[in-house]
């Protein structure tokens, strides 16, 4: 998924939280840090239009500090789109 203006990414690798064996997209997430909630929503929509599937909760706030959207690309890789507003 190409995301205009997104300049930061992360590749966390962990033991899968669902207890199943690690596989493509289970235990690995590619994350992209966005500049706004609108950018998260636009990137999520672009991923869906490119054949991705929305996973976990709908795009939205998780607590009061992060706005997240998750999807799996057509190959099954897990992608996280995140916006963290600057602390006042």
């Amino acid at each position: 998924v190409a995301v205009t203006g997104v300049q930061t990414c992360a590749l966390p690798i962990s033991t899968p939280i669902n207890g199943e064996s690690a596989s493509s997209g289970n235990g690995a997430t590619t994350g992209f840090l966005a500049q706004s909630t609108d950018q998260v929503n636009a990137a999520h929509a672009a991923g869906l239009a490119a054949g991705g599937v929305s996973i976990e909760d709908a795009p939205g706030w998780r607590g009061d500090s992060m706005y997240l959207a998750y999807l799996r690309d057509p190959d099954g890789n897990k992608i996280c789109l995140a916006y963290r507003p600057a602390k006042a």
Side-chain angles (χ1 to χ4, degrees), residues 1-12 29-36 39-40 43 68 79-84:
V1 176
V3 182
T4 302
V6 175
Q7 299 174 356
T8 304
C9 66
L11 180 62
T29 301
T30 303
F32 295 92
L33 188 59
Q35 302 298 312
S36 67
Q39 196 174 48
V40 168
L68 301 174
I79 298 171
C80 175
L81 308 155
Y83 167 64
R84 295 179 186 168

Side-chain angles (χ1 to χ4, degrees), residues 3-74:
V3 182
T4 302
V6 175
Q7 299 174 356
T8 304
C9 66
L11 180 62
I13 300 173
S14 65
T15 302
I17 60 174
N18 63 4
E20 295 182 19
S21 298
S23 62
S24 173
N26 191 30
T29 301
T30 303
F32 295 92
L33 188 59
Q35 302 298 312
S36 67
T37 58
D38 288 341
Q39 196 174 48
V40 168
N41 292 334
H44 187 259
L48 297 179
V53 177
S54 187
I55 58 172
E56 301 192 16
D57 294 331
W61 289 100
R62 305 304 192 268
D64 60 358
S65 62
M66 285 207 325
Y67 189 90
L68 301 174
Y70 287 94
L71 58 93
R72 288 199 188 273
D73 70 13

